Amino acid sequence: MPAKVVAPAENRMGNNRLEFFLTALLSFCVLMCFMPNPIAAESASYAVEELNAAKGVFQGNITFQEQGVSPRFFMNWIYIFCMNVLSLSWATTTMLLVYFTIAVTAVALANCVFRLCNKHRFLYVLLLTLFYCAGIAVGLAGWNYFHLRMVGLGTSFALALLALSFLVGKSKNWNATWGLLAVSILAHVHEGFWAFCLAALVWVGQTILTRKWPWRQLMLLPVFAVISAARILPTLSFGAASSGITEQEIVEIYAAYRTPHHLMPSTWGVTTIVKFFLLLMYPVVLYSIFLWKNDRGKLKSLLAYAGLFLLGWLGILGAAYLFTEVVPISLVVTMYLPKFFRFVSLGAVLVYMLLVVTYTERQQPLPAALMVAFAFYANVGKTSLVFVLFLLLVLALLAWEKGCTKLTYGAGLIVFAAGFLPIIEQLRKSWMLWLLAASFVILVSFVGKWRGERREAWIKFGAVVALSGILATAGNERLFRYDSAEYTYTVLGPEYFLRAASPNEGYELSKRFKDLTDTDASYFSDPMSGYSLWFQLNSERSCYALFKTTPSNTDNLKEWRERIRKLEGFQDKTPEEMYVLMDDANYDYLLLPIEMQAGYLESGMYEVFAEVEGGSHCVMYRL
């Protein structure tokens, strides 16, 4: 008689609040370990518009919209409120939003585990969080990670993940999904919209399987539709009419010139596309084989949802190629169709988890360990053939396992341990976290010797000790710094992380430049360099052009591209060539790294305007 398939849990977040809180806290700590600096360059790219909205600096900067409604207007309102009403700095506001994003992500992952699993939830949330951080099956080139540190996009994705987590398991909370998606689309239109498309596919799949039209599940859908319209329609007024830019030019600049790794399928290569498609197919094939042998009633449901997701994935791939490279349509391109791949991949991640849970509960450690190992290795695979061979290996081992139980456990342990190797490098400074997390998981999930109050007391005591250690380990170098020599703790504030992100003396020089100039001051710098991006943020003065920050208004795209092209080969330009460019643009200030400074003072055309005593990585010159 075939073994019974483990049924997904129907527990909701409120059924066991303490356990849920501890589960989400464990996920939060693990997520923190993948965030060395909470203020990322991606957030710095959007700082121009946020600071201008709150403080009125960066007037005339080409990278943000000067008139009309910005596509980031909701996030700008949050910054206006935090900076002007609460008197917080940009860095403090950004850090708070980043930690909020991480917390929402942790709650979403814990909610998925509670809806899928009846026991061993601490173990499974640890694995699911690692799956999430490792970025398994997340899409194609340019979409192979999730944004925890990007304010706006990352915040929206976290809210979308929480919304979709309510669709996991048999009992779905559709009203929670539509409501959270409405908030998600406010934070970032792309994440909220593509999460909605995935939720719509789930609803269609459920309707096909039940042959019913569950209209009550759509009660809050009109709310999502109204908020989406209010979010999207004002931004559609930015067109090509005022500047005469054509559809072809918008697509060429936006996709081919600025983000081909995101938007141009032809640049990804057939091998890459096949690889990521197999990453999605692999868990479906394995789970289908398992259900065929053990529970064919669930096989129909799996194939229905998987079929819709994979067809949607292929459809978006075809549409992205067609409307970007064959028949360019700027509106379609600016919706970033390939982002849909990441949401489809979330379904694949959950199927990986279902396989791990099912094999673990059936006491089949080898296939469970293989799932974990493959999940961590998959995204670093070089060729598509690896996945085919791996699938055949798993099927062979499943057959071999039945007659070799002891060896199975040993092999499973080895494979499971090997699965962590690809992420050890990222966590080398937090190795103690895994010891503490493992102790916590064993203590809470597997302790069964004590009964009644004594057992509960031990579990609570152990949980407090373990979580305290996990928090201390995860927070080190992220919330505080521990000096083992002096046995002291130093709280790390927003300014510390801004200084840490700015190359060498860039932070001090940017503050000095800010103090010596008015808000309308602008400067020339290498548009491709990281120090230019951070210098603009910290000085609150406009850079002539930065490749990292693309104008949200299509009217400014042509000028932005021309500026970038004028500065191509920045580090090879002579003082005379740079003088001509600055004079033509009517710019007085020039930021140079140390390797470019030879000959500028000798030319007689420049003078040192600002520098940092004792350091000369960057110097601000003036004509």
Side-chain angles (χ1 to χ4, degrees):
M1 182 176 178
K4 184 179 179 180
V5 180
V6 178
E10 296 305 327
N11 303 67
R12 300 188 181 184
M13 289 185 354
N15 284 10
N16 191 332
R17 295 182 180 179
L18 177 60
E19 184 182 1
F20 184 86
F21 171 77
L22 294 175
T23 304
L25 185 58
L26 177 60
S27 179
F28 180 86
C29 291
V30 176
L31 290 169
M32 284 274 288
C33 289
F34 287 82
M35 187 193 66
N37 189 329
I39 302 180
E42 291 84 0
S43 291
S45 299
Y46 292 126
V48 178
E49 187 173 330
E50 293 156 355
L51 278 167
N52 184 73
K55 300 178 64 174
V57 294
F58 297 122
Q59 291 292 336
N61 193 297
I62 195 174
T63 59
F64 68 89
Q65 181 58 46
E66 297 179 0
Q67 299 176 350
V69 180
S70 165
R72 291 179 51 83
F73 68 89
F74 179 74
M75 293 306 301
N76 291 342
W77 290 345
I78 293 178
Y79 273 88
I80 290 172
F81 176 78
C82 290
M83 296 180 69
N84 295 344
V85 178
L86 302 181
S87 299
L88 301 177
S89 66
W90 177 89
T92 302
T93 304
T94 299
M95 281 189 63
L96 290 175
L97 286 170
V98 167
Y99 289 133
F100 171 77
T101 298
I102 298 173
V104 172
T105 301
V107 170
L109 295 174
N111 194 31
C112 289
V113 169
F114 263 62
R115 289 173 167 269
L116 285 176
C117 312
N118 286 307
K119 54 184 179 179
H120 303 162
R121 288 167 173 159
F122 293 98
L123 172 63
Y124 295 135
V125 82
L126 178 63
L127 288 177
L128 183 58
T129 306
L130 291 174
F131 284 0
Y132 183 88
C133 293
I136 64 171
V138 292
L140 287 170
W143 303 116
N144 56 351
Y145 58 95
F146 298 112
H147 303 275
L148 284 173
R149 299 186 295 159
M150 184 183 287
V151 173
L153 189 153
T155 309
S156 178
F157 190 85
L159 290 166
L161 180 62
L162 181 59
L164 295 173
S165 72
F166 284 96
L167 302 184
V168 174
K170 186 176 180 180
S171 178
K172 298 173 173 53
N173 189 336
W174 285 96
N175 288 327
T177 296
W178 303 130
L180 286 166
L181 286 179
V183 182
S184 174
I185 204 169
L186 281 175
H188 198 284
V189 63
H190 297 147
E191 313 306 308
F193 176 78
W194 293 117
F196 162 76
C197 290
L198 187 75
L201 284 179
V202 175
W203 190 84
V204 170
Q206 177 184 267
T207 302
I208 292 174
L209 290 170
T210 61
R211 299 181 181 180
K212 296 179 181 179
W213 294 89
W215 297 111
R216 292 184 179 180
Q217 298 174 350
L218 306 179
M219 290 179 61
L220 284 186
L221 184 59
V223 175
F224 170 80
V226 171
I227 292 178
S228 299
R231 173 68 175 81
I232 297 172
L233 292 178
T235 65
L236 296 181
S237 60
F238 305 136
S242 59
S243 63
I245 189 171
T246 65
E247 291 279 317
Q248 183 68 39
E249 287 176 321
I250 293 175
V251 174
E252 192 275 329
I253 297 173
Y254 208 78
Y257 182 69
R258 175 61 179 84
T259 53
H261 56 298
H262 285 330
L263 300 175
M264 302 286 287
S266 63
T267 66
W268 304 335
V270 175
T271 300
T272 301
I273 293 173
V274 172
K275 165 188 169 179
F276 281 100
F277 185 74
L278 288 175
L279 277 171
L280 301 177
M281 285 291 297
Y282 182 81
V284 175
V285 171
L286 272 187
Y287 203 42
S288 296
I289 294 173
F290 175 81
L291 291 177
W292 176 264
K293 294 180 179 180
N294 298 281
D295 193 340
R296 296 189 184 184
K298 293 184 179 294
L299 180 60
K300 180 180 178 182
S301 176
L302 173 68
L303 294 179
Y305 287 120
L308 285 172
F309 288 0
L310 294 175
L311 284 175
W313 192 92
L314 291 171
I316 290 295
L317 177 65
Y321 177 75
L322 177 64
F323 297 118
T324 303
E325 306 191 40
V326 180
V327 186
I329 299 178
S330 62
L331 181 61
V332 176
V333 170
T334 54
M335 281 303 296
Y336 278 81
L337 270 67
K339 284 192 176 186
F340 181 69
F341 299 148
R342 291 195 299 170
F343 289 100
V344 173
S345 72
L346 292 175
V349 171
L350 289 176
V351 178
Y352 278 112
M353 273 303 300
L354 273 174
L355 282 164
V356 173
V357 172
T358 300
Y359 286 129
T360 300
E361 301 304 326
R362 283 166 50 87
Q363 297 183 350
Q364 292 181 281
L366 182 57
L370 285 170
M371 285 299 96
V372 175
F374 179 73
F376 291 145
Y377 276 112
N379 219 16
V380 298
K382 299 299 182 183
T383 66
S384 304
L385 181 61
V386 172
F387 308 114
V388 177
L389 295 176
F390 198 92
L391 175 60
L392 296 176
L393 173 63
V394 170
L395 294 177
L397 288 174
L398 286 175
W400 170 78
E401 179 195 27
K402 293 182 179 180
C404 207
T405 306
K406 292 184 179 179
L407 287 177
T408 294
Y409 278 84
L413 181 62
I414 294 173
V415 175
F416 185 83
F420 285 94
L421 292 178
I423 62 172
I424 289 297
E425 179 64 20
Q426 299 181 58
L427 298 166
R428 61 189 184 278
K429 294 182 180 179
S430 301
W431 62 269
M432 190 178 292
L433 172 70
W434 303 110
L435 179 61
L436 293 167
S439 302
F440 178 67
V441 167
I442 293 171
L443 178 68
V444 179
S445 296
F446 298 106
V447 170
K449 294 182 180 180
W450 298 287
R451 300 296 178 185
E453 295 181 0
R454 185 180 180 186
R455 177 176 181 270
E456 293 298 324
W458 275 103
I459 289 177
K460 290 178 181 179
F461 173 76
V464 170
V465 173
L467 278 176
S468 298
I470 292 170
L471 279 172
T473 307
N476 191 31
E477 297 295 336
R478 297 167 183 85
L479 299 176
F480 55 83
R481 171 174 288 169
Y482 174 66
D483 188 338
S484 58
E486 301 291 335
Y487 300 103
T488 58
Y489 286 91
T490 303
V491 177
L492 303 180
E495 296 303 319
Y496 167 83
F497 291 107
L498 274 182
R499 186 185 299 271
S502 304
N504 298 300
E505 304 91 18
Y507 182 82
E508 287 77 9
L509 183 61
S510 63
K511 292 300 183 182
R512 186 169 178 79
F513 183 62
K514 177 182 177 181
D515 293 338
L516 294 174
T517 56
D518 297 326
T519 56
D520 60 350
S522 302
Y523 65 94
F524 261 48
S525 185
D526 187 351
M528 303 296 182
S529 70
Y531 68 79
S532 299
L533 178 67
W534 291 106
F535 192 93
Q536 178 175 250
L537 164 60
N538 295 323
S539 68
E540 298 182 5
R541 301 294 182 262
S542 294
C543 187
Y544 177 70
L546 288 174
F547 189 77
K548 191 77 174 178
T549 54
T550 311
S552 57
N553 180 10
T554 55
D555 290 351
N556 293 337
L557 277 178
K558 289 182 74 173
E559 183 181 351
W560 170 83
R561 181 180 63 176
E562 290 306 312
R563 289 189 179 191
I564 295 294
R565 285 181 171 174
K566 286 180 181 179
L567 297 181
E568 286 179 353
F570 185 88
Q571 296 196 11
D572 296 325
K573 294 188 182 299
T574 65
E576 292 75 17
E577 292 173 330
M578 196 74 73
Y579 181 91
V580 173
L581 289 173
M582 294 178 64
D583 188 55
D584 288 343
N586 196 27
Y587 273 59
D588 295 329
Y589 302 102
L590 174 64
L591 178 66
L592 290 180
I594 189 171
E595 60 268 18
M596 285 189 62
Q597 293 170 18
Y600 274 81
L601 288 179
E602 292 79 0
S603 69
M605 295 181 287
Y606 305 86
E607 63 178 355
V608 175
F609 179 74
E611 60 183 334
V612 179
E613 294 183 6
S616 57
H617 177 76
C618 294
V619 173
M620 181 63 71
Y621 289 93
R622 181 171 62 181
L623 293 183

